[in-house]
Structures are given as structure tokens and as C-alpha cells.
Amino acid sequence: MGQCGITSSKTVLVFLNLIFWGAAGILCYVGAYVFITYDDYDHFFEDVYTLIPAVVIIAVGALLFIIGLIGCCATIRESRCGLATFVIILLLVFVTEVVVVVLGYVYRAKVENEVDRSIQKVYKTYNGTNPDAASRAIDYVQRQLHCCGIHNYSDWENTDWFKQTKNQSVPLSCCKETASSCNGSLAHPSDLYAEGCEALVVKKLQEIMMHVIWAALAFAAIQLLGMLCACIVLCRRSRDPAYELLITGGTYA
């Protein structure tokens, strides 16, 4: 019965190590996705510390690949020292992922205030005639999120660009995809996106942060199972004489 329990624990542990390799790839993908998305919205969110959870989760992903390798070798070789090292590293990574979850919630709560402060500046400096990076970012966001202005398209009337052009129109990026003849004129509001961009940018950034949080929570749960199985193998290896004889190839006297 003891040998059967250990064998089952070892089988689960080997399977979990394979999962760790898959998890490493997924975590690195999630972290990279956060970086890429942040690059698209960085003009609306100036706090670079928001990227800390993404940096940590990429580091954890890389470490998980190494952990899976250590775990497989330790399990196959029945190395007590290797399994103990495996458990300790898993515990450290588990604590790190808990920190990622906490940071994720902290920065998720800060998104709305940060975007509200930054988006006002970006819209005021918009230059559609000779667009800079910030202006291109506004056009990109309005097209991608199907929005116009900060709260709605009327916000453009308060911008320097609108006053300078004097043509009573908003950028073409405010035009709905279905409005083929749209030229941005406020005389045809039905051709323009009605929803403002601020709320949608906040929603998008908060969704991204939730991806990080859920990824960290999911793999923290897997790591707990891995630590449990490794501890079972370690404990039974120490206490079960029959298991020691099985490993060494000895026999009872």
C-alpha cells in the first residue's frame, strides 16, 4: 500500500513537472502580452511601475521551466536532496506569485486615476496635421476601441487642434467603420463613435491586469499540488523501510 501511494505521488509529480513547462510558456506569453499592450497605451498611463507584475511573471515563467527540469530529474533519480530543493524553490516561487497577485490588485485600483490624469494631457496636445507619437496613439486607440474623445466626441471642441482647424470636425479616427462617407464633421454625429475613450482604456488596462492575476493564481494552485506530492514522496521515502529497500535493491533479512 505504501509503495503504491508513493508511486501514485511520483506519477502525479512527474505530470505536474510537465505542466510546469507548459505553464512557463503561458506565463511568459501573458507577461509579453502585458508589455505589448502597455506599449500601445503608454501615453495614457505614465506609471511604469505597473509593469512590475508583468516583469515578475515573466521571471517566474522562466524559473518554472528550470523548476520542471529539477523536479523531473529529482523524481526519476529518487534524490531526496533534489526533491527538497524542488520544494523550497516551489515555495519561493509560490510566495512570489502571491506578491504578483497583490501588486496586480494594487495597480488595477490605480488605473482609473492614472488614466484620468494622463488622457487629458494627451488630448490637449493632439496634432492631426503633423502627428507625433501621442497623436498617433490617440488615433490608434479611437480606431481600436471604437471611441471618440475623452467622454464623448464633444470633448474635441475644447482642444487646441479643433480650434485651429476651424472646420467643426473631429479626427477621422472617430468615424465608424460602417460610415464610408464620414469626414469627421460634427454635423453628422451618427457617423461618429458615441462612447468616450477614457472608460474603455481603463477597462482594457484593468482586464490586462486581471489576466496577470488569474494566471498567477492558477499556477500558484498547481505549485501547491506539486509541493504536496513532493512532500509525500519525501516523507514516505524516510519512513517506509520497504521503499528504501525497493530503491537500493536490498531484501529483508
Side-chain angles (χ1 to χ4, degrees):
M1 176 68 80
Q3 294 175 9
C4 181
I6 292 172
T7 302
S8 298
S9 296
K10 284 172 59 181
T11 302
V12 173
L13 191 55
V14 170
F15 178 69
L16 284 173
N17 286 321
L18 296 177
I19 291 178
F20 287 154
W21 284 336
I26 294 173
L27 286 176
C28 288
Y29 171 79
V30 171
Y33 174 70
V34 172
F35 269 100
I36 292 170
T37 307
Y38 178 83
D39 188 54
D40 292 333
Y41 295 90
D42 61 347
H43 290 90
F44 304 96
F45 201 82
E46 298 174 352
D47 190 356
V48 295
Y49 294 108
T50 308
L51 292 175
I52 290 177
V55 173
V56 175
I57 210 170
I58 289 175
V60 168
L63 190 57
L64 273 179
F65 181 82
I66 300 173
I67 290 172
L69 188 60
I70 293 173
C72 277
C73 293
T75 304
I76 293 171
R77 292 189 172 197
E78 309 291 347
S79 170
R80 184 174 181 179
C81 179
L83 284 172
T85 302
F86 176 68
V87 171
I88 292 171
I89 295 176
L90 271 185
L91 181 60
L92 292 174
V93 174
F94 175 78
V95 172
T96 302
E97 288 185 330
V98 171
V99 172
V100 168
V101 171
V102 173
L103 287 175
Y105 272 108
V106 169
Y107 288 120
R108 186 175 182 272
K110 291 176 61 178
V111 165
E112 188 169 356
N113 290 334
E114 186 69 27
V115 171
D116 182 60
R117 185 172 67 250
S118 301
I119 201 169
Q120 303 280 349
K121 299 177 185 177
V122 177
Y123 269 84
K124 283 183 179 180
T125 59
Y126 181 83
N127 184 354
T129 307
N130 186 21
D132 53 11
S135 300
R136 289 194 297 271
I138 290 176
D139 287 329
Y140 172 82
V141 167
Q142 292 191 151
R143 289 193 180 97
Q144 290 296 311
L145 300 184
H146 296 171
C147 58
C148 184
I150 300 174
H151 303 104
N152 55 58
Y153 59 80
S154 65
D155 291 324
W156 281 104
E157 296 180 43
N158 300 318
T159 64
D160 293 335
W161 173 82
F162 183 90
K163 294 171 183 176
Q164 290 170 3
T165 55
K166 299 178 181 179
N167 58 7
Q168 296 296 305
S169 65
V170 296
L172 294 178
S173 56
C174 282
C175 292
K176 294 179 180 177
E177 293 179 347
T178 54
S180 57
S181 59
C182 176
N183 60 1
S185 173
L186 291 178
H188 304 285
S190 59
D191 292 342
L192 308 175
Y193 294 122
E195 194 167 359
C197 294
E198 181 178 355
L200 294 178
V201 169
V202 169
K203 182 181 177 182
K204 181 71 173 179
L205 292 172
Q206 288 181 337
E207 284 177 354
I208 293 168
M209 203 58 67
M210 281 307 299
H211 292 332
V212 173
I213 292 171
W214 282 114
L217 284 174
F219 294 118
I222 295 173
Q223 286 168 227
L224 277 178
L225 186 56
M227 285 189 286
L228 178 63
C229 291
C231 287
I232 290 173
V233 173
L234 278 171
C235 291
R236 292 193 176 181
R237 188 182 188 281
S238 302
R239 295 179 183 178
D240 195 337
Y243 182 65
E244 292 290 346
L245 289 170
L246 178 67
I247 299 304
T248 59
T251 58
Y252 286 110

